[in-house]
Amino acid sequence: MSHITVWYDGACPLCIREIALMRKLDRRETITFIDIATPAASCPLDRQLMLDRFHASEDGRLLSGAAAFAAMWRAIPILRPIGLLARLPGVLTVLEALYKQFLKVRPHIQKRLKPID
């Protein structure tokens, strides 16, 4: 079983909601979630770079974007089939293209979401 580390923006209402869902689904607690909005948090790369794109580590290999999401999904039993599908030729390329499009609208979505208390 792989161990996954996920770095997320704890100051982002969208990210907070997504990570809350992933924590619920991660019943085996195989994922370590690190809030990089906290100044004391350790980042393997430049903090701003990590805030700009989703990052995860799977078995010590740093991943970004769609590949990072796929690694996280593989660690969660109900999402594992989607994560495994991302390993098929061409699928990750499509997912990454979709992720890049999402990054363009993410600021607009973030502005519309109210912070979670």
Side-chain angles (χ1 to χ4, degrees):
M1 170 102 27
S2 296
H3 182 78
I4 307 296
T5 300
V6 167
W7 291 270
Y8 71 98
D9 182 355
C12 163
L14 179 62
C15 303
I16 292 168
R17 284 171 172 78
E18 181 180 7
I19 295 304
L21 174 60
M22 294 301 116
R23 284 182 197 269
K24 279 185 184 178
L25 295 175
D26 182 28
R27 292 188 180 130
R28 296 178 298 169
E29 298 181 353
T30 58
I31 303 172
T32 300
F33 295 96
I34 300 173
D35 176 0
I36 57 173
T38 306
S42 175
C43 298
L45 298 174
D46 175 74
R47 186 175 308 274
Q48 190 57 53
L49 178 66
M50 294 192 76
L51 289 167
D52 290 343
R53 282 181 60 89
F54 187 72
H55 287 80
S57 172
E58 183 176 36
D59 294 328
R61 199 172 120 223
L62 189 61
L63 304 166
S64 159
F69 277 102
M72 180 174 65
W73 298 334
R74 284 191 291 273
I76 298 172
I78 197 165
L79 299 176
R80 185 170 172 76
I82 301 167
L84 292 173
L85 186 65
R87 288 185 168 160
L88 295 176
V91 175
L92 193 57
T93 302
V94 171
L95 290 174
E96 181 63 24
L98 292 170
Y99 179 69
K100 286 180 179 178
Q101 292 304 309
F102 166 75
L103 288 177
K104 293 177 183 178
V105 298
R106 184 176 82 174
H108 305 290
I109 296 170
Q110 288 172 323
K111 287 178 187 173
R112 289 189 165 83
L113 291 176
K114 294 179 182 174
I116 296 175
D117 294 326

